[in-house]
Amino acid sequence: MTSNQTDCHYCLQSLRGRKYALREENAYCVTCYDSLFANPCEECKKPIECDSKDLAYKGRHWHERCFNCAKCSRSLVEKPFAAKDELLLCTECYSNEYSSKCFHCQKTIMPGSRKMEFKGSSWHESCFVCQYCRQPLGTKPLITKDNENYCVPCFEKQFAHHCYSCKKVITSGGVTYHDQPWHKECFVCAGCKTQLSGQRFISKDEYPYCVDCYSKFYAEKCTACKKPITALGGAKFISFEERQWHGECFNCAKCSVSLVGEEFLTKQDDVLCNECGSAS
């Protein structure tokens, strides 16, 4: 810039026919302007003269020729770059030194690209997909099996158990009956519908029954005490001529000695030990 009308605001020398620079509407000769206002270059420490391009980043300044990658020295002018510990690096050097590697493809996740993180590992957004349907998982709920990630619908379709009763997915807990999975709340007595999970029950025709319902509907009655014989817990019972007894009830009708495993005689509806039977 030249002028034939002003003097330098600092040294008062004429600017006629000379280059000058303006600052806050005041004109300065190039020498005064550089000594007063030029920013020092971050790289070479020399002033960035008014006739040089001043490149600035976060309050620091560089000559255009000095604005280079701190590792490979390639120019960063009008190119993407990244900063690390106050050093400026081209994207390639930054990636090689500091960027995460994708857990799936093992390639560098470039600065500026979206990175997904899960369980301490990083993925490219395009690599973080459901193992089955290959759709991006993003921030959606997911389930991991054998180090592979699945969206919830695909995991349920491929791996989850379905309740034998209601056919819906069992997401947690559940019980197994006749090699079939059930929700705890679906595993109920076929008679009274009481939940049987954690309770004693008896099977009849592939259906589970609580002890009370089984006794009510199906259990044989003891000839002696008339109570149901459920055989729960492996309890013994005796059967003779279409009559049944609890093991503890199968006693001589006269002397009450146990007849379990012993010879006995019958007299009308009574069972008797040999001694009582012979004496009568």
Side-chain angles (χ1 to χ4, degrees):
M1 185 180 296
T2 59
S3 172
N4 295 316
Q5 301 175 354
T6 61
D7 296 333
C8 173
H9 184 71
Y10 186 74
C11 69
L12 303 180
Q13 293 186 17
S14 173
L15 297 176
R16 187 175 301 165
R18 301 170 59 190
K19 290 183 179 181
Y20 69 95
L22 290 174
R23 186 178 177 89
E24 298 177 354
E25 298 184 358
N26 295 316
Y28 296 85
C29 66
V30 170
T31 301
C32 289
Y33 184 90
D34 288 343
S35 64
L36 293 173
F37 306 116
N39 294 306
C41 175
E42 189 75 19
E43 178 65 22
C44 69
K45 311 304 180 185
K46 296 178 180 179
I48 303 173
E49 300 88 349
C50 63
D51 58 351
S52 298
K53 193 170 185 178
D54 185 336
L55 301 181
Y57 175 73
K58 290 188 175 181
R60 297 185 293 162
H61 300 265
W62 288 262
H63 290 107
E64 186 174 16
R65 64 180 180 274
C66 296
F67 194 60
N68 302 321
C69 171
K71 188 170 181 65
C72 70
S73 299
R74 285 182 291 186
S75 174
L76 299 177
V77 177
E78 297 183 357
K79 293 178 182 178
F81 62 89
K84 180 69 175 179
D85 299 329
E86 297 190 354
L87 297 177
L88 301 186
L89 302 167
C90 65
T91 54
E92 183 177 347
C93 288
Y94 182 89
S95 298
N96 290 337
E97 291 291 322
Y98 305 110
S99 288
S100 302
K101 296 291 190 296
C102 176
F103 182 82
H104 177 72
C105 70
Q106 296 303 309
K107 294 182 180 178
T108 298
I109 301 175
M110 298 298 288
S113 62
R114 192 173 182 188
K115 178 174 68 173
M116 310 303 297
E117 294 187 345
F118 180 66
K119 289 187 175 180
S121 298
S122 302
W123 279 263
H124 291 110
E125 185 178 24
S126 58
C127 293
F128 193 58
V129 299
C130 170
Q131 179 67 17
Y132 185 73
C133 68
R134 311 307 299 175
Q135 293 300 307
L137 290 169
T139 56
K140 295 186 294 186
L142 61 92
I143 301 174
T144 300
K145 180 178 174 62
D146 299 331
N147 291 326
E148 300 290 357
N149 299 320
Y150 298 84
C151 63
V152 174
C154 285
F155 181 87
E156 292 180 348
K157 181 179 179 181
Q158 292 295 109
F159 304 110
H161 294 297
H162 290 74
C163 176
Y164 182 78
S165 175
C166 70
K167 311 305 180 187
K168 295 180 180 179
V169 170
I170 300 173
T171 56
S172 63
V175 297
T176 300
Y177 172 68
H178 282 191
D179 295 325
Q180 297 292 345
W182 300 63
H183 289 114
K184 288 183 178 180
E185 59 271 23
C186 293
F187 188 60
V188 298
C189 172
C192 66
K193 307 305 179 185
T194 300
Q195 286 193 24
L196 296 176
S197 178
Q199 306 298 319
R200 300 202 303 181
F201 64 90
I202 304 171
S203 297
K204 176 68 175 177
D205 299 328
E206 297 188 359
Y207 291 98
Y209 290 84
C210 67
V211 175
D212 289 342
C213 285
Y214 182 86
S215 300
K216 178 180 178 181
F217 296 126
Y218 301 110
E220 300 286 354
K221 300 297 189 294
C222 175
T223 300
C225 71
K226 309 305 180 185
K227 295 179 180 179
I229 300 173
T230 63
L232 270 176
K236 294 181 180 179
F237 70 96
I238 310 300
S239 180
F240 175 71
E241 292 184 351
E242 298 184 357
R243 291 184 293 167
Q244 286 78 33
W245 290 261
H246 292 110
E248 62 271 19
C249 295
F250 190 56
N251 304 321
C252 174
K254 285 191 174 183
C255 70
S256 301
V257 67
S258 175
L259 299 177
V260 177
E262 304 293 337
E263 293 183 355
F264 61 88
L265 301 173
T266 62
K267 185 176 182 179
Q268 296 179 351
D269 290 336
D270 292 334
V271 288
L272 304 167
C273 65
N274 280 338
E275 184 176 349
C276 291
S278 299
S280 59

